[in-house]
Amino acid sequence: MTRDPWLSWPEDLRAAALPLLRLALDEDLGDAGDLSARNFDPDAAAAPRTARLVAREPGVLAGLPLFLFVFRAAAARLGLAPPLPADGAVPLAAGGIRLLETAPEGLRFNAGETLASLAAPPALLHAGERTALNFLQRLCAVATATSRAVAASCGPAVLDTRKTTPGYRRLEKYAVRMGGGRNHRMGLYDAIMVKDNHKEALGGMAGVMERVATLPLAPERQPELVVEVDSLEELQLLLAHPAARRVNRVLLDNFPPEQVAAAVALRQTLGGGPDFEISGGLRAEDLSDPRYAGVEAASLGSITHGAGALDLALELEA
């Protein structure tokens, strides 16, 4: 039995995708459905046709299960299949969709490659094509941008940020993982990040570290704690404080490469300390600078907010 990509996708991703999918189909089909197919393709509900998902430029695959499920959701909208349950946990085959070929998530592909082929009623292929491509092109673009940053890095792991498309965060962070990157915090609720506004409220870095020392949770139960520093002076104060052991990562914000190298040397001189993360307008090509080799991570907002859309196409076979 062929594995169903949608049902095999993690439940949290399906839950994140369903509201977006409903909204996207509302945008594209409205109440009237596909007027073009209804009036100019009399065979739209006839025997299934085969369609191929083709890459027009190289990239990394992320989101194919969602791409395929768009057509199952379109079948429900057009009355060609039963309505979707609230959790969307239905097989693609229940919408008259037969998978002929599917590439694995995370695949690095070249222009011209076929990433999937499926057979479905033409009505579904017409109604779901644009919505399906919109999702997949975006997620593949994020995965591809991440992959380029990972390939360029001289050592630091590539992290994402909260600079994601509203509503798409879980999906875009999934795409980052498919591209070889790692996820930073999901939101404000699952990690602690001390930034400039917090430092100002506590009277500077000394106040921050005193607060760090009195956090109520034991170190083994403490959420990940990241503290931003803006200068080598702030970094030295942090590293020399007894509470530095409670800090998981120090964010070197907008440090030029020579200051990053100096920060790594300072940590070594003081006998070690928390991991370092660099951030601040970084591009993939910046990560090849050997002066960044001593830091553990680099966070790039550009791999999500600047990714754009990868060029993919759905081609119906004659």
Side-chain angles (χ1 to χ4, degrees):
M1 184 175 180
T2 304
R3 171 178 162 273
D4 188 298
W6 171 252
L7 292 180
S8 301
W9 222 29
E11 186 177 348
D12 66 316
L13 295 177
R14 298 202 310 263
L18 282 171
L20 297 171
L21 175 53
R22 293 187 182 104
L23 177 60
L25 289 177
D26 283 344
E27 290 174 336
D28 232 14
L29 296 176
D31 295 326
D34 185 350
L35 295 180
S36 301
R38 184 185 304 168
N39 289 284
F40 289 92
D41 190 352
D43 296 324
R49 290 186 62 186
T50 299
R52 295 188 309 126
L53 173 65
V54 179
R56 288 179 171 167
E57 61 178 314
V60 178
L61 185 60
L64 184 61
L66 175 55
F67 170 88
L68 296 168
F69 190 71
V70 168
F71 299 104
R72 171 62 182 89
R77 288 291 296 264
L78 297 176
L80 299 177
L84 299 180
D87 63 0
V90 292
L92 297 170
I97 300 158
R98 184 163 58 95
L99 300 183
L100 307 175
E101 177 184 359
T102 57
E105 291 284 88
L107 175 74
R108 273 65 176 166
F109 55 81
N110 297 313
E113 288 191 37
T114 295
L115 305 177
S117 59
L118 64 153
L124 301 189
L125 299 174
H126 297 323
E129 175 185 8
R130 186 70 268 155
T131 297
L133 286 172
N134 284 348
F135 280 120
L136 190 63
Q137 288 177 304
R138 174 64 185 164
L139 296 181
C140 286
V142 171
T144 302
T146 304
S147 178
R148 289 171 181 153
V150 170
S153 177
C154 65
V158 174
L159 305 182
D160 53 27
T161 70
R162 290 189 300 125
K163 295 177 181 177
T164 54
T165 308
Y168 277 70
R169 179 165 297 170
R170 195 168 292 277
L171 296 176
E172 290 182 350
K173 283 180 173 281
Y174 162 77
V176 166
R177 298 194 301 272
M178 291 300 98
R182 287 173 22 198
N183 295 150
H184 211 293
R185 56 181 177 165
M186 187 63 66
L188 296 174
Y189 56 85
D190 62 342
I192 301 171
M193 180 177 285
V194 183
K195 298 178 73 67
D196 285 343
N197 54 335
H198 307 111
K199 282 189 286 185
E200 184 178 348
L202 293 171
M205 184 57 67
V208 166
M209 294 309 296
E210 289 307 308
R211 179 63 60 88
V212 168
T214 60
L215 285 174
L217 298 177
E220 64 273 12
R221 294 174 50 231
Q222 179 181 308
E224 185 179 42
L225 174 60
V226 183
V227 178
E228 176 185 297
V229 299
D230 299 313
S231 66
L232 290 171
E233 291 73 25
E234 282 191 345
L235 176 62
Q236 182 158 13
L237 193 157
L238 184 156
L239 293 176
H241 197 283
R245 61 182 177 80
R246 304 195 75 182
V247 177
N248 300 103
R249 198 160 65 248
V250 175
L251 179 62
L252 308 177
D253 189 42
N254 286 302
F255 272 41
E258 61 273 13
Q259 284 193 1
V260 171
V264 171
L266 175 61
R267 181 176 60 177
Q268 185 174 4
T269 298
L270 294 176
D275 286 354
F276 285 168
E277 171 190 343
I278 54 175
S279 73
L282 292 171
R283 302 164 299 174
E285 56 267 30
D286 296 330
L287 301 188
S288 64
D289 192 315
R291 289 170 292 186
Y292 291 152
V295 302
E296 286 72 25
S299 52
L300 286 75
S302 60
I303 60 176
T304 49
H305 71 65
L310 207 72
D311 193 3
L312 307 170
L314 187 68
E315 299 179 353
L316 271 66
E317 295 185 354

